[in-house]
Amino acid sequence: MEKHQDTSRGTTNRRRRKRYMQRRLMLTFFTLLVMTAAGVLAALLVPRLEQQRETGGNDSLQASAKPANKELDTKEQIEDPVQDEEQKPDEEPESDIQEEDPQPVEPVGARETVIEQADLQAAGYDYDGAIETVKSYQGYESDSELTGRIADYEAQKAACVPVDISKVTHVFYHSLVVDPELAFANQDTNPQAVGNNQWMTTIEEFDKITQSMYDKGYVLVDLHDLVEETVDENGEVHFKEGTILLPPDKKAFVLSIDDLSYYHSYDGYGYASKMIVDENGKPKCEYIQRDGTTVVGDYDVIPRMDKFLEEHPDASYKGAKGTIALTGYNGILGYRTDISYQTVPADIDKDKKEWLAEHPDFDLETERAKAKEVADAIKADGWVFASHTWGHMKVGDASMERIQADTEKWKENVEPLVGPTDTIIFAHGQDLAEWTTGYTADNPKFAYFKQQGFNYYCNVDSQQYSVQFGDNYFRQGRRNLDGYRIYFNSIGEMDSVSDLFNASEVIDPKRPPVPHL
């Protein structure tokens, strides 16, 4: 019995030793496995660490490596109770590698800002600009998302086709009607109200037209985008068709605004009273309500188009806006900036006299300074200015003497506020020559305007397309999207805007019947 017990105890001891050895072998094997994995991981991470240090991206790599090392140390402490007394767990081995100088820390959100800016440029068909924006990000070559975006922009550009410059339409508006009931009242007795009804567009109509043209694939381009200017060895400028690349389902158009001066004749008829600069530096409008209170908002073409393009960046080619054609006889942008308000000549008109009587604190330099501030904000916003002649002149009927005197007034009273311009937009549908002949060197009016620095000429002909390239000028006709065209298209007597919008869906229900011209 005792012998049996001894044998059993010996067997048990042998089994215990066997299990102990098995555990030790397993533990040793597992420890070796962990150490091997750590070595492989280190072999992979160290070169990447050096590369990231060279490209300034070491912060993210170090952040990802530290948890892995911490986890490895923990496993070794738990699973192997035998510690090396010469190296404590919390001690890090000495290294001969010297720390490099820390790289500049990338601003928070810089990468996201680059992506956002590039996407916005690409939405506006500026694919080259978008690519350059991405490439400005340090280390973009190793960022798969950024390189993927470059490939996408290149593919979008490759899918674009050149615009047929000869089929680019040019549309224009006057100041928008804010209150149709004020603008159109008393059609039978008030000639001003009749003119408002014929020539003006309401805010509601403008918004519907803008949306319709967007839905039809129209993209706003700058007038100068249509032209490529070259300079020869003698310094002479020559004009030829420019290159605009758009997706195949898109169509280019040019936009202009006439008479953005808020004439005295607009007072009390439901128009904005002036342009201002808001607290964000953006151009807005003041509007005087029926109760006499003044409010600020999007009461004309500039701020309304700005808002639409912010929401639809693909509606504009490389951020293009429109061209603003200004007269000067009542000042500009709602400010009384003409010298006549100060000199008060004998032939000053009744409206100016009444306005001066209502504003005894008028100061010309103050008005001009305010107007210039607004004009600068409008230009910074992407819009450009053009001459509409100082006196809204009929250039075809005017004598050379009158043209010269009028141009001098524009140069003296308007150009210092809006800056030089190379564009003149003629009023009343008149022009310097027939389209069949074009402008020639022996045309004295053309020669004078060229000498004054004007290279781009636009009139009003209401045609769908009117584009002409001279060797030293560019000429384009314009279409008036006014009450007259909207009304007679809506009742089926005309078909001149159907490529842009459905007039019966656009017309403001507050617009009365428009008399024939």
Side-chain angles (χ1 to χ4, degrees):
M1 185 74 178
E2 292 178 359
K3 184 178 179 180
H4 176 75
Q5 289 176 345
D6 292 339
T7 304
S8 175
R9 187 180 297 113
T11 302
T12 300
N13 291 337
R14 285 195 299 272
R15 289 176 178 173
R16 287 177 179 173
R17 285 195 299 269
K18 184 177 181 180
R19 286 197 298 269
Y20 173 76
M21 293 301 298
Q22 287 176 340
R23 286 197 301 269
R24 291 295 299 171
L25 288 172
M26 290 178 62
L27 182 59
T28 301
F29 175 77
F30 184 79
T31 301
L32 290 172
L33 181 62
V34 170
M35 292 174 65
T36 301
V40 172
L41 182 61
L44 292 173
L45 288 181
V46 167
R48 292 181 57 189
L49 176 58
E50 294 301 322
Q51 180 183 5
Q52 290 292 330
R53 285 178 174 173
E54 292 175 359
T55 59
N58 56 326
D59 291 343
S60 60
L61 178 58
Q62 290 173 351
S64 65
K66 286 180 179 179
N69 291 339
K70 183 177 181 180
E71 180 181 358
L72 177 61
D73 291 344
T74 302
K75 286 183 178 180
E76 290 177 344
Q77 291 175 32
I78 292 175
E79 295 179 354
D80 189 359
V82 180
Q83 296 290 332
D84 186 349
E85 295 180 356
E86 296 180 358
Q87 181 176 321
K88 296 181 180 179
D90 294 334
E91 292 179 347
E92 294 186 8
E94 295 182 0
S95 173
D96 293 333
I97 301 176
Q98 296 182 355
E99 293 273 344
E100 295 184 6
D101 292 336
Q103 297 297 319
V105 177
E106 178 186 290
V108 176
R111 181 176 178 278
E112 289 70 21
T113 300
V114 165
I115 292 173
E116 182 180 353
Q117 175 63 25
D119 283 350
L120 183 62
Q121 290 173 292
Y125 316 102
D126 185 6
Y127 305 112
D128 291 338
I131 291 170
E132 289 305 311
T133 296
V134 172
K135 288 184 176 181
S136 70
Y137 183 79
Q138 187 176 12
Y140 78 90
E141 302 95 334
S142 59
D143 189 316
S144 60
E145 182 180 1
L146 296 183
T147 56
R149 269 181 157 74
I150 291 176
D152 183 49
Y153 301 149
E154 290 173 340
Q156 291 182 56
K157 180 181 178 181
C160 290
V161 297
V163 168
D164 185 346
I165 302 298
S166 68
K167 293 184 178 180
V168 175
T169 195
H170 186 153
V171 303
F172 80 96
Y173 300 90
H174 295 91
S175 288
L176 300 178
V177 170
V178 181
D179 189 336
E181 293 179 353
L182 287 178
F184 304 145
N186 304 316
Q187 289 286 300
D188 296 334
T189 59
N190 188 342
Q192 176 67 38
V194 174
N196 294 341
N197 198 15
Q198 290 174 326
W199 308 123
M200 303 308 199
T201 310
T202 71
I203 280 181
E204 181 176 330
E205 291 168 341
F206 174 81
D207 288 346
K208 289 180 178 179
I209 291 172
T210 302
Q211 184 65 52
S212 174
M213 291 182 65
Y214 175 75
D215 293 340
K216 289 177 177 288
Y218 281 93
V219 175
L220 177 59
V221 303
D222 186 87
L223 179 67
H224 294 75
D225 289 333
L226 306 181
V227 180
E228 180 182 343
E229 299 183 24
T230 59
V231 181
D232 63 21
E233 63 277 4
N234 299 317
E236 296 293 329
V237 179
H238 303 276
F239 294 78
K240 64 179 183 179
E241 288 191 8
T243 300
I244 299 174
L245 296 175
L246 290 175
D249 60 339
K250 300 295 183 181
K251 294 167 281 191
F253 81 101
V254 176
L255 169 69
S256 56
I257 311 168
D258 282 8
D259 305 309
L260 196 64
S261 296
Y262 302 106
Y263 300 127
H264 294 303
S265 60
Y266 288 8
D267 292 347
Y269 283 101
Y271 298 96
S273 60
K274 64 174 57 176
M275 297 289 299
I276 65 164
V277 181
D278 71 3
E279 63 276 8
N280 299 314
K282 293 297 184 180
K284 297 287 183 180
C285 299
E286 281 189 357
Y287 177 72
I288 302 173
Q289 302 181 106
R290 294 189 189 188
D291 62 3
T293 58
T294 299
V295 291
V296 174
D298 303 330
Y299 297 113
D300 212 338
V301 174
I302 290 177
R304 297 197 80 78
M305 182 58 76
D306 281 350
K307 183 178 180 180
F308 186 86
L309 295 179
E310 286 177 5
E311 298 171 353
H312 306 84
D314 58 327
S316 170
Y317 176 71
K318 297 185 178 182
K321 299 291 180 71
T323 301
I324 303 162
L326 294 176
T327 60
Y329 64 93
N330 269 181
I332 66 169
L333 307 173
Y335 299 89
R336 306 312 165 197
T337 56
D338 191 66
I339 189 65
S340 60
Y341 288 89
Q342 178 172 283
T343 58
V344 193
D347 62 348
I348 192 171
D349 60 46
K350 179 183 177 182
D351 287 338
K352 290 183 180 180
K353 287 183 179 180
E354 291 178 351
W355 188 89
L356 286 169
E358 295 170 358
H359 297 82
D361 58 344
F362 164 76
D363 179 75
L364 180 64
E365 293 309 313
T366 300
E367 289 287 293
R368 288 182 171 180
K370 291 179 180 178
K372 187 177 186 306
E373 178 186 2
V374 177
D376 288 344
I378 290 173
K379 289 190 293 184
D381 196 42
W383 298 80
V384 296
F385 288 105
S387 170
H388 201 38
T389 74
W390 175 88
H392 208 255
M393 181 176 50
K394 295 181 179 180
V395 294
D397 299 338
S399 65
M400 274 300 303
E401 291 73 21
R402 185 183 174 193
I403 287 177
Q404 290 172 350
D406 183 277
T407 303
E408 289 173 2
K409 288 181 178 180
W410 200 92
K411 294 276 188 178
E412 292 172 0
N413 292 278
V414 183
E415 185 177 281
L417 307 179
V418 303
T421 180
D422 60 0
T423 304
I424 187 164
I425 293 178
F426 299 128
H428 303 288
Q430 294 205 353
D431 206 336
L432 305 178
E434 296 295 332
W435 279 85
T436 53
T437 60
Y439 300 153
T440 57
D442 59 356
N443 183 325
K445 294 179 180 180
F446 170 65
Y448 173 74
F449 281 122
K450 275 290 296 181
Q451 188 271 331
Q452 295 300 310
F454 295 109
N455 295 318
Y456 293 76
Y457 300 81
C458 299
N459 71 346
V460 179
D461 63 5
S462 303
Q463 300 299 310
Q464 185 176 13
Y465 313 119
S466 297
V467 173
Q468 186 176 84
F469 281 87
D471 179 61
N472 60 348
Y473 71 88
F474 174 74
R475 188 184 189 191
Q476 188 176 36
R478 303 185 302 151
R479 308 167 68 180
N480 24 359
L481 304 185
D482 52 25
Y484 189 87
R485 273 80 191 169
I486 293 172
Y487 176 76
F488 285 104
N489 274 267
S490 72
I491 63 175
E493 287 193 19
M494 295 177 68
D495 183 14
S496 60
V497 297
S498 58
D499 58 314
L500 307 175
F501 56 90
N502 184 332
S504 62
E505 296 177 355
V506 161
I507 190 167
D508 195 311
K510 295 180 180 180
R511 181 181 293 282
V514 178
H516 283 280
L517 297 176

